Amino acid sequence: MNSDSTGLTRMDSRLSGFYKGSPAERRQALIDAGVDPETVESLRGGALGVDGADGVSENVVGTLEYPIGIATNFRIDGEDTLVPMAVEETSVVAAASFGARMARGTDGFTTDVSGPIMIAQIQATDVPAPHHAKSTVLDAADDLIERANEQDPVLVEHGGGCEDVQARVIDTPRGEMLITHLIVDVRDAMGGNAVNTMAEALAPKIEELTGGDVSLRILSNLADRRLARATCTVEPDALETDDVELSGEEIRDRIVNAWAFAAGDPYRAATHNKGIMNGIDAVATATFNDWRAIEAGAHAYAAQDGYGPLTTYEVDADGRLACSIELPIQVGTVGGATRLQPTAEAALELLDVDSADDLAGVFAAVGLAQNFAGLRALVSEGIQRGHMNLHAKNIAVQAGSPDDLVDEVAARMVAEETVRQDRAEELIDELSE
Ligand code: NAD
């Protein structure tokens, strides 16, 4: 454990050799590092159960298990952080941990969040004089804000609430429409329900003010007032690998070229951003946050000036790789389903964040680490090698391997560099004789 500036103890996220242990040994390593044993026990999963799940969604018949892994090495805003990630894809947790390790030598990630501000939209159609009505709505802003805040005294008590009203006349294939935006500080909530309730409550008043028909009343997932940013720098030496004959500087420059490729080509940008979302969605899943909202916001934000990458890579004055990310992150530490799932609650406890803003900063740092670890592999040895060990096991299972042969079939395929179902089937026959 380390002491931080507040004198509180924080665990060391380095956890050297963590990946080598069994799940039970890793849980013990977390306890040894200072994580509350009850949190560790909850991370083991299974506590929601079918009855618990029945209260989360509809028509429930069961639950689906995901692996939860812990990404190590993260240092975020000067504090070591262990990051829970729930994902079914191989190499994601390993890559995030490796990315965090490369950034660790230069003190990890610095984050910055613009504030937990969400936007609710109220659509008015068939407005007789939409530009005139826009002014009428804006004139009534104080009254609208008051009515909106009456819907959520708890949010207001926590220092949040509707702060502003905006109005836009937009051109659509069905003519002009007047769109009213409520600008709402949702504090530690994701805010979906909170802002939708406000928008629905204001609908009759907007109809009265505009003379139009109010139809949609819902948040925008293009949460461009809720931006999370993270930066880090990486020394060229930290990028080197024994697997290819490239210097750290050459790898650094190739990463910048990989970013430029994404900036110049939406086919590449889509995959570049998928790499970022590998990490972000995994933390969202682990904390039971709404990853569809985050995905929608991320890609809408990436498309604002023609679809492009959410990260940027440059070379700084000291020759280091300067990495940055900026995207909307709409997440909560309260509300939604976050407190309905004991494993997700434990994941939040492990992250030890004080607010939704802090959580958003972690998401941004993980997205950045995931992206440059992926790029570093892509520009050097390629990503297939890192995928192979677990992928080979998946192929062995897919080929029908009995449990006791999976490891051996996978190891033989990796050694032969032939990870294919037909080879797995041959090996299963051979080893079963
Ligand atoms: P919520 O309504 O469950 O909780 C938010 C409420 O908690 C606040 O309105 C407030 O009254 C209370 N609260 C207590 N302590 C608070 C604190 N410290 N900070 C802020 N609020 C506090 O949930 P929500 O966050 O409003 O909505 C999230 C849900 O909305 C998610 O499950 C999401 O899936 C869903 N949703 C999303 C969309 C979308 O993204 N398009 C649409 C509809 C619903």
Side-chain angles (χ1 to χ4, degrees):
M1 306 261 281
N2 296 332
S3 279
D4 68 13
S5 54
T6 63
L8 293 171
T9 48
R10 303 249 340 158
M11 70 252 345
D12 180 352
S13 68
R14 184 72 189 82
L15 297 189
S16 185
F18 190 69
Y19 71 96
K20 290 183 193 152
S22 65
E25 286 166 341
R26 293 187 195 115
R27 286 197 298 275
Q28 188 55 49
L30 292 179
I31 293 170
D32 294 344
V35 182
D36 179 358
E38 271 183 40
T39 303
V40 175
E41 183 54 30
S42 297
L43 284 170
R44 213 173 151 189
L48 178 66
V50 181
D51 290 344
D54 202 26
V56 176
S57 178
E58 301 81 30
N59 298 359
V60 168
V61 294
T63 59
L64 171 73
E65 288 168 279
Y66 262 80
I68 288 202
I70 308 296
T72 56
N73 301 319
F74 273 89
R75 203 165 164 71
I76 303 176
D77 296 323
E79 293 192 342
D80 274 32
T81 306
L82 291 168
V83 181
M85 301 177 78
V87 62
E88 85 295 345
E89 185 178 346
T90 56
S91 300
V92 170
V93 180
S97 305
F98 186 56
R101 186 165 172 196
M102 285 188 280
R104 207 174 158 81
T106 37
D107 210 29
F109 302 86
T110 302
T111 72
D112 166 55
V113 177
S114 64
I117 309 294
M118 295 295 287
I119 301 167
Q121 297 192 294
I122 303 170
Q123 175 205 28
T125 59
D126 302 316
V127 179
H131 292 274
H132 188 273
K134 172 180 165 177
S135 292
T136 311
V137 166
L138 293 176
D139 278 348
D142 288 346
D143 177 47
L144 294 171
I145 289 170
E146 200 179 315
R147 285 169 190 261
N149 285 336
E150 280 166 10
Q151 306 305 313
D152 202 337
V154 176
L155 181 60
V156 174
E157 244 170 59
H158 279 85
C162 184
E163 293 182 338
D164 199 7
V165 172
Q166 296 178 335
R168 301 157 56 221
V169 177
I170 61 165
D171 254 332
T172 81
R174 301 273 286 171
E176 286 188 328
M177 296 179 188
L178 178 66
I179 310 299
T180 303
H181 282 191
L182 307 181
I183 310 299
V184 185
D185 181 334
V186 297
R187 295 285 87 204
D188 297 316
M190 178 270 177
N193 294 321
V195 305
N196 292 347
T197 306
M198 291 181 181
E200 288 190 5
L202 292 194
K205 188 70 193 167
I206 298 289
E207 281 194 335
E208 186 190 314
L209 292 169
T210 61
D213 287 329
V214 166
S215 180
L216 268 67
R217 297 141 294 165
I218 187 160
L219 84 163
S220 169
N221 288 112
L222 177 50
D224 60 1
R225 289 163 168 261
R226 201 173 188 179
L227 297 178
R229 304 179 190 92
T231 57
C232 68
T233 52
V234 183
E235 297 286 358
D237 288 359
L239 297 167
E240 279 174 13
T241 161
D242 293 338
D243 295 326
V244 289
E245 285 182 15
L246 289 169
S247 69
E249 283 78 8
E250 285 168 318
I251 293 175
R252 175 200 66 194
D253 292 346
R254 283 181 171 216
I255 290 175
V256 180
N257 284 342
W259 160 74
F261 177 11
D265 179 10
Y267 286 93
R268 174 58 210 152
T271 320
H272 181 103
N273 289 341
K274 193 275 183 181
I276 294 169
M277 302 315 288
N278 273 343
I280 288 178
D281 287 348
V283 187
T285 305
T287 56
F288 244 36
N289 265 288
D290 182 342
W291 50 266
R292 285 88 50 207
I294 304 171
E295 280 280 342
H299 295 291
Y301 192 67
Q304 279 192 311
D305 300 312
Y307 191 83
L310 292 161
T311 50
T312 305
Y313 295 91
E314 300 155 299
V315 178
D316 75 8
D318 299 317
R320 293 182 299 201
L321 182 67
C323 320
S324 52
I325 185 170
E326 179 182 91
L327 78 171
I329 295 285
Q330 39 210 309
V331 288
T333 56
V334 299
T338 53
R339 299 289 169 180
L340 300 180
Q341 156 56 290
T343 311
E345 265 201 299
L348 268 178
E349 275 159 32
L350 183 71
L351 283 167
D352 197 16
V353 287
D354 293 331
S355 64
D357 274 359
D358 285 354
L359 183 62
V362 171
F363 275 64
V366 173
L368 184 57
Q370 195 75 51
N371 187 227
F372 78 74
L375 292 180
R376 147 82 176 47
L378 279 170
V379 303
S380 54
E381 75 267 17
I383 57 167
Q384 286 309 91
R385 179 181 301 191
H387 270 76
M388 270 316 139
N389 288 342
L390 281 176
H391 177 60
K393 286 191 191 179
N394 295 346
I395 294 289
V397 172
Q398 194 172 296
S401 171
D403 288 351
D404 59 334
L405 290 184
V406 169
D407 284 347
E408 194 169 347
V409 171
R412 294 264 297 260
M413 287 195 293
V414 171
E416 293 171 5
E417 296 186 8
T418 312
V419 182
R420 287 200 322 249
Q421 185 163 335
D422 58 317
R423 182 60 187 144
E425 285 165 1
E426 283 169 13
L427 285 165
I428 294 164
D429 287 346
E430 193 183 314
L431 293 166
S432 303
E433 278 166 9

